[in-house]
mmCIF file of all heavy atoms in Angstrom:
data_model
loop_
_atom_site.group_PDB
_atom_site.id
_atom_site.type_symbol
_atom_site.label_atom_id
_atom_site.label_comp_id
_atom_site.label_asym_id
_atom_site.label_seq_id
_atom_site.Cartn_x
_atom_site.Cartn_y
_atom_site.Cartn_z
ATOM 1 N N ALA M 1 3.163 21.708 -27.303
ATOM 2 C CA ALA M 1 1.865 21.537 -27.967
ATOM 3 C C ALA M 1 0.870 20.770 -27.097
ATOM 4 O O ALA M 1 -0.310 21.120 -27.033
ATOM 5 C CB ALA M 1 2.047 20.837 -29.314
ATOM 6 N N GLU M 2 1.323 19.717 -26.414
ATOM 7 C CA GLU M 2 0.402 18.917 -25.607
ATOM 8 C C GLU M 2 -0.191 19.738 -24.463
ATOM 9 O O GLU M 2 -1.385 19.654 -24.172
ATOM 10 C CB GLU M 2 1.107 17.674 -25.057
ATOM 11 C CG GLU M 2 1.534 16.670 -26.117
ATOM 12 C CD GLU M 2 0.354 16.145 -26.922
ATOM 13 O OE1 GLU M 2 -0.744 15.947 -26.333
ATOM 14 O OE2 GLU M 2 0.517 15.939 -28.134
ATOM 15 N N ARG M 3 0.630 20.524 -23.805
ATOM 16 C CA ARG M 3 0.127 21.388 -22.720
ATOM 17 C C ARG M 3 -0.845 22.415 -23.274
ATOM 18 O O ARG M 3 -1.886 22.705 -22.648
ATOM 19 C CB ARG M 3 1.302 22.084 -22.030
ATOM 20 C CG ARG M 3 0.884 23.018 -20.890
ATOM 21 C CD ARG M 3 0.310 22.237 -19.725
ATOM 22 N NE ARG M 3 0.015 23.096 -18.587
ATOM 23 C CZ ARG M 3 -1.210 23.257 -18.080
ATOM 24 N NH1 ARG M 3 -2.235 22.638 -18.628
ATOM 25 N NH2 ARG M 3 -1.394 24.026 -17.034
ATOM 26 N N LEU M 4 -0.555 22.950 -24.434
ATOM 27 C CA LEU M 4 -1.450 23.938 -25.024
ATOM 28 C C LEU M 4 -2.772 23.305 -25.448
ATOM 29 O O LEU M 4 -3.819 23.949 -25.368
ATOM 30 C CB LEU M 4 -0.769 24.611 -26.221
ATOM 31 C CG LEU M 4 0.392 25.529 -25.857
ATOM 32 C CD1 LEU M 4 1.110 26.006 -27.117
ATOM 33 C CD2 LEU M 4 -0.098 26.724 -25.045
ATOM 34 N N LEU M 5 -2.732 22.065 -25.891
ATOM 35 C CA LEU M 5 -3.982 21.379 -26.214
ATOM 36 C C LEU M 5 -4.853 21.217 -24.976
ATOM 37 O O LEU M 5 -6.075 21.386 -25.038
ATOM 38 C CB LEU M 5 -3.686 20.012 -26.830
ATOM 39 C CG LEU M 5 -3.298 20.025 -28.308
ATOM 40 C CD1 LEU M 5 -2.761 18.655 -28.716
ATOM 41 C CD2 LEU M 5 -4.483 20.407 -29.179
ATOM 42 N N GLU M 6 -4.251 20.909 -23.837
ATOM 43 C CA GLU M 6 -5.003 20.793 -22.585
ATOM 44 C C GLU M 6 -5.676 22.119 -22.241
ATOM 45 O O GLU M 6 -6.852 22.157 -21.868
ATOM 46 C CB GLU M 6 -4.076 20.382 -21.446
ATOM 47 C CG GLU M 6 -3.497 18.994 -21.574
ATOM 48 C CD GLU M 6 -2.477 18.705 -20.484
ATOM 49 O OE1 GLU M 6 -2.365 19.534 -19.551
ATOM 50 O OE2 GLU M 6 -1.795 17.668 -20.552
ATOM 51 N N LEU M 7 -4.926 23.196 -22.371
ATOM 52 C CA LEU M 7 -5.486 24.511 -22.077
ATOM 53 C C LEU M 7 -6.550 24.893 -23.094
ATOM 54 O O LEU M 7 -7.589 25.464 -22.751
ATOM 55 C CB LEU M 7 -4.373 25.565 -22.059
ATOM 56 C CG LEU M 7 -3.307 25.414 -20.973
ATOM 57 C CD1 LEU M 7 -2.146 26.367 -21.225
ATOM 58 C CD2 LEU M 7 -3.906 25.657 -19.588
ATOM 59 N N GLY M 8 -6.285 24.589 -24.366
ATOM 60 C CA GLY M 8 -7.205 24.965 -25.429
ATOM 61 C C GLY M 8 -8.544 24.268 -25.335
ATOM 62 O O GLY M 8 -9.574 24.825 -25.749
ATOM 63 N N GLU M 9 -8.582 23.070 -24.774
ATOM 64 C CA GLU M 9 -9.841 22.344 -24.631
ATOM 65 C C GLU M 9 -10.818 23.082 -23.730
ATOM 66 O O GLU M 9 -12.029 22.891 -23.829
ATOM 67 C CB GLU M 9 -9.571 20.941 -24.066
ATOM 68 C CG GLU M 9 -8.958 19.980 -25.072
ATOM 69 C CD GLU M 9 -8.621 18.641 -24.443
ATOM 70 O OE1 GLU M 9 -8.870 18.483 -23.221
ATOM 71 O OE2 GLU M 9 -8.125 17.750 -25.161
ATOM 72 N N GLN M 10 -10.311 23.907 -22.844
ATOM 73 C CA GLN M 10 -11.161 24.642 -21.914
ATOM 74 C C GLN M 10 -11.479 26.054 -22.405
ATOM 75 O O GLN M 10 -12.227 26.787 -21.744
ATOM 76 C CB GLN M 10 -10.463 24.735 -20.550
ATOM 77 C CG GLN M 10 -10.029 23.403 -19.972
ATOM 78 C CD GLN M 10 -9.131 23.600 -18.767
ATOM 79 O OE1 GLN M 10 -9.318 24.493 -17.953
ATOM 80 N NE2 GLN M 10 -8.114 22.762 -18.648
ATOM 81 N N ALA M 11 -10.910 26.446 -23.529
ATOM 82 C CA ALA M 11 -11.055 27.819 -24.006
ATOM 83 C C ALA M 11 -12.146 27.933 -25.067
ATOM 84 O O ALA M 11 -12.438 26.981 -25.780
ATOM 85 C CB ALA M 11 -9.730 28.324 -24.571
ATOM 86 N N ASN M 12 -12.718 29.130 -25.160
ATOM 87 C CA ASN M 12 -13.664 29.440 -26.236
ATOM 88 C C ASN M 12 -12.970 30.090 -27.422
ATOM 89 O O ASN M 12 -13.477 30.030 -28.547
ATOM 90 C CB ASN M 12 -14.765 30.354 -25.710
ATOM 91 C CG ASN M 12 -15.504 29.740 -24.538
ATOM 92 O OD1 ASN M 12 -15.182 30.041 -23.381
ATOM 93 N ND2 ASN M 12 -16.458 28.878 -24.804
ATOM 94 N N ALA M 13 -11.843 30.733 -27.167
ATOM 95 C CA ALA M 13 -11.050 31.350 -28.233
ATOM 96 C C ALA M 13 -9.583 31.244 -27.864
ATOM 97 O O ALA M 13 -9.212 31.382 -26.690
ATOM 98 C CB ALA M 13 -11.436 32.806 -28.435
ATOM 99 N N VAL M 14 -8.755 30.981 -28.865
ATOM 100 C CA VAL M 14 -7.306 30.900 -28.679
ATOM 101 C C VAL M 14 -6.641 31.852 -29.661
ATOM 102 O O VAL M 14 -6.880 31.773 -30.868
ATOM 103 C CB VAL M 14 -6.776 29.473 -28.907
ATOM 104 C CG1 VAL M 14 -5.257 29.436 -28.797
ATOM 105 C CG2 VAL M 14 -7.394 28.498 -27.905
ATOM 106 N N LEU M 15 -5.847 32.762 -29.142
ATOM 107 C CA LEU M 15 -5.070 33.685 -29.964
ATOM 108 C C LEU M 15 -3.627 33.224 -29.983
ATOM 109 O O LEU M 15 -3.004 33.056 -28.922
ATOM 110 C CB LEU M 15 -5.165 35.107 -29.402
ATOM 111 C CG LEU M 15 -4.202 36.149 -29.970
ATOM 112 C CD1 LEU M 15 -4.361 36.307 -31.475
ATOM 113 C CD2 LEU M 15 -4.395 37.494 -29.256
ATOM 114 N N LEU M 16 -3.089 33.021 -31.185
ATOM 115 C CA LEU M 16 -1.704 32.600 -31.345
ATOM 116 C C LEU M 16 -0.940 33.632 -32.165
ATOM 117 O O LEU M 16 -1.435 34.085 -33.197
ATOM 118 C CB LEU M 16 -1.619 31.253 -32.062
ATOM 119 C CG LEU M 16 -2.296 30.079 -31.370
ATOM 120 C CD1 LEU M 16 -3.453 29.572 -32.207
ATOM 121 C CD2 LEU M 16 -1.308 28.952 -31.137
ATOM 122 N N GLY M 17 0.249 34.008 -31.688
ATOM 123 C CA GLY M 17 1.118 34.817 -32.526
ATOM 124 C C GLY M 17 1.721 36.065 -31.946
ATOM 125 O O GLY M 17 2.849 36.418 -32.310
ATOM 126 N N PRO M 18 1.034 36.820 -31.073
ATOM 127 C CA PRO M 18 1.624 38.084 -30.624
ATOM 128 C C PRO M 18 2.981 37.895 -29.954
ATOM 129 O O PRO M 18 3.125 37.104 -29.027
ATOM 130 C CB PRO M 18 0.589 38.615 -29.618
ATOM 131 C CG PRO M 18 -0.696 38.008 -30.043
ATOM 132 C CD PRO M 18 -0.334 36.644 -30.547
ATOM 133 N N GLY M 19 3.976 38.586 -30.464
ATOM 134 C CA GLY M 19 5.304 38.545 -29.865
ATOM 135 C C GLY M 19 6.084 37.276 -30.111
ATOM 136 O O GLY M 19 7.163 37.089 -29.534
ATOM 137 N N MET M 20 5.600 36.381 -30.971
ATOM 138 C CA MET M 20 6.316 35.125 -31.199
ATOM 139 C C MET M 20 7.559 35.345 -32.057
ATOM 140 O O MET M 20 7.530 36.141 -33.004
ATOM 141 C CB MET M 20 5.404 34.109 -31.888
ATOM 142 C CG MET M 20 4.499 33.341 -30.940
ATOM 143 S SD MET M 20 3.554 32.071 -31.818
ATOM 144 C CE MET M 20 3.201 30.948 -30.471
ATOM 145 N N VAL M 21 8.628 34.606 -31.736
ATOM 146 C CA VAL M 21 9.846 34.603 -32.535
ATOM 147 C C VAL M 21 10.227 33.162 -32.829
ATOM 148 O O VAL M 21 9.570 32.231 -32.354
ATOM 149 C CB VAL M 21 11.007 35.326 -31.814
ATOM 150 C CG1 VAL M 21 10.650 36.775 -31.529
ATOM 151 C CG2 VAL M 21 11.371 34.604 -30.517
ATOM 152 N N ASP M 22 11.290 32.969 -33.613
ATOM 153 C CA ASP M 22 11.784 31.651 -34.025
ATOM 154 C C ASP M 22 10.778 31.009 -34.979
ATOM 155 O O ASP M 22 9.981 30.136 -34.600
ATOM 156 C CB ASP M 22 12.048 30.755 -32.802
ATOM 157 C CG ASP M 22 12.836 29.501 -33.165
ATOM 158 O OD1 ASP M 22 12.931 29.174 -34.368
ATOM 159 O OD2 ASP M 22 13.347 28.833 -32.246
ATOM 160 N N ASP M 23 10.830 31.444 -36.229
ATOM 161 C CA ASP M 23 9.843 31.014 -37.226
ATOM 162 C C ASP M 23 9.763 29.495 -37.374
ATOM 163 O O ASP M 23 8.679 28.933 -37.537
ATOM 164 C CB ASP M 23 10.169 31.641 -38.585
ATOM 165 C CG ASP M 23 9.973 33.144 -38.597
ATOM 166 O OD1 ASP M 23 9.359 33.658 -37.641
ATOM 167 O OD2 ASP M 23 10.436 33.799 -39.552
ATOM 168 N N GLU M 24 10.895 28.835 -37.318
ATOM 169 C CA GLU M 24 10.891 27.373 -37.478
ATOM 170 C C GLU M 24 10.117 26.708 -36.346
ATOM 171 O O GLU M 24 9.311 25.791 -36.569
ATOM 172 C CB GLU M 24 12.326 26.847 -37.526
ATOM 173 C CG GLU M 24 12.417 25.356 -37.787
ATOM 174 C CD GLU M 24 13.856 24.876 -37.944
ATOM 175 O OE1 GLU M 24 14.736 25.709 -38.212
ATOM 176 O OE2 GLU M 24 14.077 23.658 -37.789
ATOM 177 N N ALA M 25 10.336 27.171 -35.122
ATOM 178 C CA ALA M 25 9.634 26.612 -33.974
ATOM 179 C C ALA M 25 8.144 26.931 -34.032
ATOM 180 O O ALA M 25 7.305 26.080 -33.682
ATOM 181 C CB ALA M 25 10.239 27.146 -32.675
ATOM 182 N N VAL M 26 7.804 28.137 -34.466
ATOM 183 C CA VAL M 26 6.390 28.506 -34.579
ATOM 184 C C VAL M 26 5.683 27.597 -35.575
ATOM 185 O O VAL M 26 4.573 27.100 -35.325
ATOM 186 C CB VAL M 26 6.235 29.984 -34.990
ATOM 187 C CG1 VAL M 26 4.765 30.313 -35.243
ATOM 188 C CG2 VAL M 26 6.793 30.898 -33.911
ATOM 189 N N GLY M 27 6.326 27.353 -36.710
ATOM 190 C CA GLY M 27 5.736 26.478 -37.713
ATOM 191 C C GLY M 27 5.499 25.076 -37.178
ATOM 192 O O GLY M 27 4.430 24.485 -37.392
ATOM 193 N N ALA M 28 6.471 24.533 -36.464
ATOM 194 C CA ALA M 28 6.328 23.195 -35.891
ATOM 195 C C ALA M 28 5.225 23.164 -34.845
ATOM 196 O O ALA M 28 4.458 22.196 -34.755
ATOM 197 C CB ALA M 28 7.654 22.748 -35.280
ATOM 198 N N LEU M 29 5.120 24.229 -34.067
ATOM 199 C CA LEU M 29 4.074 24.298 -33.043
ATOM 200 C C LEU M 29 2.685 24.338 -33.687
ATOM 201 O O LEU M 29 1.768 23.626 -33.252
ATOM 202 C CB LEU M 29 4.288 25.532 -32.169
ATOM 203 C CG LEU M 29 3.291 25.730 -31.024
ATOM 204 C CD1 LEU M 29 3.413 24.611 -30.000
ATOM 205 C CD2 LEU M 29 3.498 27.090 -30.365
ATOM 206 N N LEU M 30 2.519 25.131 -34.715
ATOM 207 C CA LEU M 30 1.220 25.212 -35.392
ATOM 208 C C LEU M 30 0.831 23.869 -35.994
ATOM 209 O O LEU M 30 -0.333 23.456 -35.914
ATOM 210 C CB LEU M 30 1.252 26.283 -36.479
ATOM 211 C CG LEU M 30 1.421 27.738 -36.043
ATOM 212 C CD1 LEU M 30 1.320 28.662 -37.247
ATOM 213 C CD2 LEU M 30 0.409 28.138 -34.982
ATOM 214 N N ARG M 31 1.781 23.196 -36.607
ATOM 215 C CA ARG M 31 1.484 21.894 -37.222
ATOM 216 C C ARG M 31 1.098 20.850 -36.178
ATOM 217 O O ARG M 31 0.279 19.961 -36.445
ATOM 218 C CB ARG M 31 2.681 21.411 -38.045
ATOM 219 C CG ARG M 31 2.920 22.234 -39.303
ATOM 220 C CD ARG M 31 3.958 21.584 -40.202
ATOM 221 N NE ARG M 31 5.288 21.523 -39.590
ATOM 222 C CZ ARG M 31 6.181 22.502 -39.642
ATOM 223 N NH1 ARG M 31 5.889 23.632 -40.291
ATOM 224 N NH2 ARG M 31 7.381 22.364 -39.082
ATOM 225 N N ALA M 32 1.675 20.952 -34.996
ATOM 226 C CA ALA M 32 1.362 19.998 -33.935
ATOM 227 C C ALA M 32 0.074 20.348 -33.204
ATOM 228 O O ALA M 32 -0.590 19.463 -32.651
ATOM 229 C CB ALA M 32 2.521 19.939 -32.931
ATOM 230 N N LEU M 33 -0.284 21.613 -33.207
ATOM 231 C CA LEU M 33 -1.392 22.092 -32.381
ATOM 232 C C LEU M 33 -2.705 22.254 -33.140
ATOM 233 O O LEU M 33 -3.737 21.679 -32.764
ATOM 234 C CB LEU M 33 -0.982 23.422 -31.741
ATOM 235 C CG LEU M 33 -1.994 24.135 -30.847
ATOM 236 C CD1 LEU M 33 -2.329 23.269 -29.635
ATOM 237 C CD2 LEU M 33 -1.437 25.488 -30.404
ATOM 238 N N LEU M 34 -2.693 23.021 -34.207
ATOM 239 C CA LEU M 34 -3.949 23.432 -34.840
ATOM 240 C C LEU M 34 -4.783 22.274 -35.395
ATOM 241 O O LEU M 34 -6.009 22.273 -35.222
ATOM 242 C CB LEU M 34 -3.660 24.455 -35.940
ATOM 243 C CG LEU M 34 -3.322 25.865 -35.443
ATOM 244 C CD1 LEU M 34 -2.894 26.747 -36.603
ATOM 245 C CD2 LEU M 34 -4.501 26.491 -34.712
ATOM 246 N N PRO M 35 -4.196 21.278 -36.062
ATOM 247 C CA PRO M 35 -5.049 20.211 -36.597
ATOM 248 C C PRO M 35 -5.805 19.424 -35.520
ATOM 249 O O PRO M 35 -6.784 18.741 -35.823
ATOM 250 C CB PRO M 35 -4.052 19.303 -37.334
ATOM 251 C CG PRO M 35 -2.906 20.194 -37.671
ATOM 252 C CD PRO M 35 -2.799 21.119 -36.500
ATOM 253 N N ARG M 36 -5.379 19.518 -34.280
ATOM 254 C CA ARG M 36 -6.012 18.777 -33.186
ATOM 255 C C ARG M 36 -6.846 19.673 -32.277
ATOM 256 O O ARG M 36 -7.446 19.197 -31.312
ATOM 257 C CB ARG M 36 -4.922 18.080 -32.361
ATOM 258 C CG ARG M 36 -4.100 17.091 -33.168
ATOM 259 C CD ARG M 36 -2.832 16.710 -32.440
ATOM 260 N NE ARG M 36 -3.099 16.070 -31.155
ATOM 261 C CZ ARG M 36 -2.175 15.912 -30.207
ATOM 262 N NH1 ARG M 36 -0.930 16.348 -30.412
ATOM 263 N NH2 ARG M 36 -2.480 15.325 -29.072
ATOM 264 N N MET M 37 -6.918 20.950 -32.593
ATOM 265 C CA MET M 37 -7.610 21.913 -31.727
ATOM 266 C C MET M 37 -8.938 22.302 -32.378
ATOM 267 O O MET M 37 -9.057 23.367 -32.973
ATOM 268 C CB MET M 37 -6.720 23.138 -31.510
ATOM 269 C CG MET M 37 -7.158 24.022 -30.356
ATOM 270 S SD MET M 37 -6.092 25.475 -30.217
ATOM 271 C CE MET M 37 -6.583 26.380 -31.691
ATOM 272 N N SER M 38 -9.930 21.441 -32.266
ATOM 273 C CA SER M 38 -11.175 21.666 -32.997
ATOM 274 C C SER M 38 -12.167 22.551 -32.257
ATOM 275 O O SER M 38 -13.036 23.155 -32.872
ATOM 276 C CB SER M 38 -11.847 20.319 -33.297
ATOM 277 O OG SER M 38 -12.151 19.640 -32.089
ATOM 278 N N GLN M 39 -12.066 22.678 -30.944
ATOM 279 C CA GLN M 39 -13.117 23.312 -30.158
ATOM 280 C C GLN M 39 -13.136 24.846 -30.245
ATOM 281 O O GLN M 39 -14.135 25.426 -30.646
ATOM 282 C CB GLN M 39 -13.012 22.874 -28.692
ATOM 283 C CG GLN M 39 -14.047 23.484 -27.763
ATOM 284 C CD GLN M 39 -15.464 23.060 -28.090
ATOM 285 O OE1 GLN M 39 -15.679 21.994 -28.645
ATOM 286 N NE2 GLN M 39 -16.430 23.905 -27.763
ATOM 287 N N PRO M 40 -12.074 25.549 -29.840
ATOM 288 C CA PRO M 40 -12.173 27.010 -29.762
ATOM 289 C C PRO M 40 -12.031 27.694 -31.121
ATOM 290 O O PRO M 40 -11.523 27.110 -32.091
ATOM 291 C CB PRO M 40 -10.989 27.379 -28.854
ATOM 292 C CG PRO M 40 -9.988 26.314 -29.110
ATOM 293 C CD PRO M 40 -10.774 25.056 -29.355
ATOM 294 N N THR M 41 -12.471 28.947 -31.177
ATOM 295 C CA THR M 41 -12.181 29.788 -32.332
ATOM 296 C C THR M 41 -10.711 30.177 -32.280
ATOM 297 O O THR M 41 -10.229 30.686 -31.268
ATOM 298 C CB THR M 41 -13.044 31.060 -32.318
ATOM 299 O OG1 THR M 41 -14.420 30.686 -32.414
ATOM 300 C CG2 THR M 41 -12.687 31.971 -33.488
ATOM 301 N N ALA M 42 -9.989 29.948 -33.368
ATOM 302 C CA ALA M 42 -8.564 30.283 -33.434
ATOM 303 C C ALA M 42 -8.387 31.634 -34.107
ATOM 304 O O ALA M 42 -8.969 31.887 -35.165
ATOM 305 C CB ALA M 42 -7.800 29.221 -34.206
ATOM 306 N N VAL M 43 -7.608 32.500 -33.487
ATOM 307 C CA VAL M 43 -7.248 33.799 -34.052
ATOM 308 C C VAL M 43 -5.739 33.798 -34.220
ATOM 309 O O VAL M 43 -5.007 33.533 -33.258
ATOM 310 C CB VAL M 43 -7.688 34.961 -33.137
ATOM 311 C CG1 VAL M 43 -7.326 36.307 -33.761
ATOM 312 C CG2 VAL M 43 -9.187 34.880 -32.846
ATOM 313 N N LEU M 44 -5.264 34.067 -35.434
ATOM 314 C CA LEU M 44 -3.831 34.023 -35.717
ATOM 315 C C LEU M 44 -3.343 35.385 -36.161
ATOM 316 O O LEU M 44 -3.928 36.018 -37.053
ATOM 317 C CB LEU M 44 -3.518 32.973 -36.795
ATOM 318 C CG LEU M 44 -3.536 31.517 -36.316
ATOM 319 C CD1 LEU M 44 -4.956 30.993 -36.217
ATOM 320 C CD2 LEU M 44 -2.725 30.622 -37.229
ATOM 321 N N ASP M 45 -2.248 35.818 -35.556
ATOM 322 C CA ASP M 45 -1.696 37.141 -35.825
ATOM 323 C C ASP M 45 -0.174 37.048 -35.811
ATOM 324 O O ASP M 45 0.415 36.096 -35.298
ATOM 325 C CB ASP M 45 -2.183 38.128 -34.750
ATOM 326 C CG ASP M 45 -1.731 39.552 -35.011
ATOM 327 O OD1 ASP M 45 -1.964 40.052 -36.127
ATOM 328 O OD2 ASP M 45 -1.136 40.177 -34.112
#
């Protein structure tokens, strides 16, 4: 999540989800990432 936050700060849009597996890990990642990612437009699929 921390590395993704660094990348997300420089992005205008972030797409999360294509090809993701391990539902438990995905849920934990979203909870750690999205509430702190205020800048880009988030697209979830």
Side-chain angles (χ1 to χ4, degrees):
E2 294 300 323
R3 180 68 175 119
L4 290 173
L5 281 169
E6 294 174 9
L7 296 170
E9 286 176 0
Q10 306 169 38
N12 302 97
V14 176
L15 168 59
L16 299 115
M20 277 185 156
V21 300
D22 192 345
D23 292 347
E24 184 175 341
V26 174
L29 181 65
L30 294 184
R31 291 190 295 274
L33 179 62
L34 284 173
R36 300 165 61 195
M37 195 182 70
S38 61
Q39 179 65 27
T41 297
V43 181
L44 283 79
D45 184 53

